[in-house]
Amino acid sequence: MAFPSDLEIARGAKLKPIQDIAGEMGLPAHLLEPYGRDVMKVGLGAIDELVDAPRAKYVLVSAITPTPLGEGKTTTTVGLGQGFKHLGHRATVAIRQPSMGPTLGIKGGAAGGGYSQVVPMELLNLHLTGDMHAVTAAHNLLAAMVDNHLHQGNALGLDVGEITWRRVLDMNDRSLRNIVVGLGAKADGVTRQTGFDITAASEVMAALALTTGLADLRERLGRIVVGYTTGGEPVTAEQLDTAGAMTVLLREAIKPNIMQTLENTPVLVHCGPFGNIATGNSSVVADLIGLRTGDYLVTEAGFGADMGAERFFNIKCRVSGEAPDAAVLVATVRALKAHSGKFRIVAGRPLPEDLLAENPDDVHAGAANLRKQIENIRMHGVSPVVAINAFPGDFASEHAVIREIAEEMGARVAVSTHFSDGGAGAVELAEAVAEAAEEKSEFQLLYPSSAPLREKIETIATRVYGADGVSYSPAARRQLDRFERNGFGELPICMAKTHLSISSDPSLLGAPTGWTLPVREVRASVGAGFVYPICGDMRTMPGLGASPAATRIDLDADGEIVGLS
C-alpha cells in the first residue's frame, strides 16, 4: 500500500479547537484573536503577563549541510515537539511561515511532512493570516516613498545610482530581478534601474523577526537605509517620514500565529526571513512567548549549522538575551553520501540509484561534514544531539555509521522515524534531547559586538567555515569602511553564502580546507540590525523551474485543494 501524501495525512487530522490549544499553553483569553476556526494570533502582552511562568528548556533544531532536497529540519522539529508529549512533557514548537514563492515553485510547502506536520497545511502554506502580505505592503510603501521623493525634487539629495531599496513580491519571478521604473512622461516619475526581491528577503521581514515589541519595531523601521547621498551619507526611512505608516501596516503581523501539529502540540508560526541573506529563523517575540508556555520550546534554523544555527546563536540570541539549552543536528544517510562527492542530487529529479543502494563506506566518506557541524554547535557552548532522520529506504548498517561518528565526537545520537510514525517515532530523540538540555549551559557568542566588522567576518570564516582567511574586493573594502564611519560597526554579521557547502563554493562538499572566503560586496540591514557580506552569487528573487508546483495545484469537484505538497 502506498504511503499517503502529506495532504491526505493532514486532511485526516483530528484537530482540537484552537482555543483549547492556546489554553493548554497557559495563554489568557484576552490576549487571543481568532482567525477563522484553526488559527489564533496572540498579543505581545503575553511576554509581560507570562514573565513569572517557569521557563522552558530552549531547543534549537539545525542540520548538517543539506542537499538541494533538504534533510527534514521542519519535520524533525515538529516530530520532536510531538515526541516530548509521549514522554509526558509539554512542548511548544516555533517555526517560520512558508513563502508562497517556493510553495508554488519547486520546494513545496514547509509545514513538516508525513505524520509530523503542522495543520491545516493548506492554510499554513497559502496566505495564513496575511503577515507576508503586510510585510510586502510595508516594504513597497517605502519604495514608493523613495521614488516619490525623487519626483518631488529630492530634497535629501539621494544619489539615484546609490539607491539600495528595491521592491518585493512573495512569488518566484526571475523577470523582475532587474527592471527600469519611471518610463513614460515626466509625470510618471524619475527613470532609474531597480528590481524586485522575494518578500522573505525583505529587510522589513528581518526586522519583524528580530524585534522585541511594537516600539522597538518602529525604531528599527526608522533606521532602514534606503540609499546614500552624493556625499556618502545614509538616507533613512525616518528621514522620508515613512516608518510610522510602515509600523501601522505591521501592527497585526507582529503578533505570532498559533496552530497545532497532527498530535495537537501547540505551534507558534511567525515570520519567514530568507535563509541566505537574512537570519533564516522564526521571530524573537514568538520564542519569548513560547519559552513560558511549557517544558520545552523547540525551534528551527534554516539550512546547515554553519548558517541558520550560527545566526541563531550570534544574532537572534544576542537580541533576545536568551540562551539555548541544547541543539539538534539533523543528519540523513543521503546527505552524508552526497558529501562523499560520488553523487549528484538535483531538486525535482529522482535520486541516483547508486545512492539508494546499501553502502556504509559512502556514509563514512561524507562524515567530515557531520563532524564539522557538531564542532560548530559545540564552539557556542551548546550540547549537540545528532538526529538520524530515517527514510524508508535506509539500511541499519548506514545508520550505525552515523551513530559511530556522532559518538566518536562525544555527541548524543538517536534514530528518529517521526515522518512515518509521528511523535512515537521521535521518543528516542526526545529522551536524548531532554538529557542534553539538563546539562549546565555554557552558551557563548562567537564575537563581541565591539569587534570591528572585518574581525567578525574573519572569525566566522575561519572558525565556523574552516577557511584559511578572507579576501575582499575593492568595493567590499570601501563598503566596510563606509559602514564603520556611519556607525554601523557594532552590528553583528549575517554572512550571505551558498547553503550547499560549508564553504562559499557549492561544489565543495564535506568540510573543505585550504580555501579563502571571497567577499565581493557588503550590505547593511541597519533596521534589522546586521551587516551582510555577500560571498558568491546570491539570488534574492528565485525563478520558477521547468515544472513548478503551481502546475499541479487545483481545486477538485468539491472545492478542495489538490496537488499541494
Side-chain angles (χ1 to χ4, degrees):
M1 182 177 177
F3 195 83
S5 70
D6 288 351
L7 187 54
E8 288 170 335
I9 292 170
R11 289 263 169 83
K14 295 181 180 178
L15 275 65
K16 283 187 177 180
I18 195 64
Q19 59 268 27
D20 291 355
I21 298 294
E24 291 170 8
M25 298 170 72
L27 295 170
H30 68 273
L31 292 173
L32 303 173
E33 301 173 10
Y35 270 69
R37 291 178 301 176
D38 300 314
V39 182
M40 279 185 162
K41 277 191 171 290
V42 54
L44 300 193
I47 296 173
D48 291 331
E49 290 198 27
L50 298 177
V51 70
D52 293 327
R55 180 189 180 276
K57 294 292 186 182
Y58 198 12
V59 179
L60 172 70
V61 177
S62 186
I64 63 172
T65 301
T67 68
L69 304 178
E71 306 317 311
K73 281 193 310 300
T74 305
T75 308
T76 303
T77 301
V78 174
L80 176 57
Q82 295 180 155
F84 279 124
K85 188 174 182 179
H86 287 257
L87 294 177
H89 300 307
R90 294 168 56 226
T92 298
V93 170
I95 62 170
R96 289 179 290 171
Q97 181 180 344
S99 166
M100 281 200 298
T103 296
L104 299 173
I106 197 167
K107 180 179 180 293
Y115 288 93
S116 291
Q117 292 188 58
V118 179
V119 285
M121 68 96 79
E122 310 101 298
L123 188 59
L124 175 57
N125 286 313
L126 301 171
H127 304 291
L128 194 56
T129 55
D131 295 348
M132 287 280 189
H133 304 311
V135 170
T136 301
H139 182 114
N140 290 339
L141 168 63
L142 182 55
M145 291 290 278
V146 168
D147 281 307
N148 184 62
H149 185 81
L150 297 177
H151 178 70
Q152 300 297 343
N154 194 12
L156 293 172
L158 264 169
D159 183 341
V160 175
E162 288 284 340
I163 294 174
T164 56
W165 196 253
R166 292 154 57 90
R167 286 167 169 80
V168 297
L169 182 73
D170 190 27
M171 199 58 59
N172 291 5
D173 194 343
R174 64 172 57 83
S175 297
L176 293 177
R177 287 172 183 164
N178 297 285
I179 64 170
V180 176
V181 296
L183 294 174
K186 185 176 181 180
D188 295 325
V190 174
T191 304
R192 66 184 185 90
Q193 185 171 338
T194 180
F196 274 80
D197 299 322
I198 195 166
T199 297
S202 167
E203 184 177 347
V204 175
M205 177 66 83
L208 188 66
L210 288 170
T211 193
T212 55
L214 205 56
D216 177 65
L217 179 62
R218 171 66 178 76
E219 291 179 8
R220 287 175 181 271
L221 296 176
R223 292 196 297 266
I224 288 175
V225 173
V226 300
Y228 296 85
T229 67
T230 52
E233 296 298 314
V235 176
T236 66
E238 196 66 64
Q239 291 173 277
L240 291 167
D241 297 322
T242 310
M246 293 169 71
T247 310
V248 169
L249 292 178
L250 296 169
R251 188 166 172 265
E252 296 302 314
I254 196 175
K255 302 171 184 175
N257 306 289
I258 303 174
M259 298 185 74
Q260 61 188 294
T261 73
L262 289 167
E263 298 181 14
N264 313 121
T265 299
V267 182
L268 291 168
V269 181
H270 201 213
C271 298
F274 216 47
N276 284 104
I277 65 164
T279 55
N281 283 259
S282 60
S283 76
V284 167
V285 294
D287 284 8
L288 292 177
I289 293 169
L291 279 167
R292 302 292 173 175
T293 61
D295 302 316
Y296 294 89
L297 175 65
V298 185
T299 189
E300 70 163 318
F303 299 134
D306 57 303
M307 296 192 70
E310 186 274 315
R311 295 162 183 173
F312 172 87
F313 296 139
N314 293 297
I315 300 178
K316 187 176 180 181
C317 291
R318 195 184 298 263
V319 169
S320 70
E322 296 290 346
D325 296 289
V328 175
L329 198 63
V330 179
T332 62
V333 167
R334 72 183 186 191
L336 284 174
K337 284 184 174 181
H339 280 291
S340 71
K342 295 172 61 176
F343 308 98
R344 185 167 180 261
I345 297 177
V346 179
R349 296 183 186 176
L351 291 170
E353 287 188 17
D354 288 351
L355 182 142
L356 299 175
E358 183 174 10
N359 194 330
D361 289 342
D362 285 346
V363 180
H364 264 298
N369 189 269
L370 174 57
R371 292 190 177 97
K372 180 57 180 150
Q373 299 291 29
I374 291 173
E375 181 184 310
N376 286 338
I377 298 290
R378 274 241 174 79
M379 72 174 61
H380 292 90
V382 181
S383 297
V385 178
V386 174
I388 303 173
N389 183 14
F391 284 71
D394 290 354
F395 296 92
S397 62
E398 297 171 333
H399 289 168
V401 172
I402 300 176
R403 184 179 293 276
E404 175 190 330
I405 296 163
E407 290 176 347
E408 282 176 0
M409 294 291 293
R412 292 178 174 84
V413 60
V415 174
S416 191
T417 59
H418 50 272
F419 182 89
S420 54
D421 300 320
V427 168
E428 180 188 350
L429 176 60
E431 289 173 335
V433 171
E435 285 183 6
E438 288 300 321
E439 293 183 355
K440 184 179 178 181
S441 177
E442 297 179 352
F443 176 67
Q444 57 188 12
L445 299 171
L446 200 58
Y447 51 80
S449 297
S450 58
L453 292 175
R454 284 176 175 82
E455 181 180 320
K456 294 171 186 171
I457 293 169
E458 288 154 19
T459 297
I460 296 170
T462 57
R463 294 194 61 193
V464 178
Y465 304 158
D468 286 348
V470 179
S471 64
Y472 302 94
S473 72
R477 291 193 193 98
R478 290 193 300 271
Q479 289 155 346
L480 286 167
D481 290 342
R482 172 193 277 181
F483 297 155
E484 296 278 8
R485 285 197 308 271
N486 288 329
F488 308 156
E490 296 233 338
L491 295 177
I493 296 297
C494 186
M495 208 81 82
K497 73 171 188 71
T498 180
H499 61 284
L500 297 174
S501 172
I502 291 181
S503 76
S504 58
D505 181 348
S507 69
L508 297 180
L509 303 176
T513 57
W515 61 279
T516 299
L517 181 75
V519 176
R520 65 173 178 84
E521 182 184 352
V522 187
R523 300 177 187 174
S525 288
V526 182
F530 53 76
V531 168
Y532 63 103
I534 298 176
C535 312
D537 186 17
M538 293 295 104
R539 291 292 189 191
T540 52
M541 170 55 85
L544 293 172
S547 180
T551 63
R552 299 180 291 279
I553 296 172
D554 207 335
L555 296 175
D556 64 17
D558 298 319
E560 295 287 347
I561 296 171
V562 295
L564 186 64
S565 60

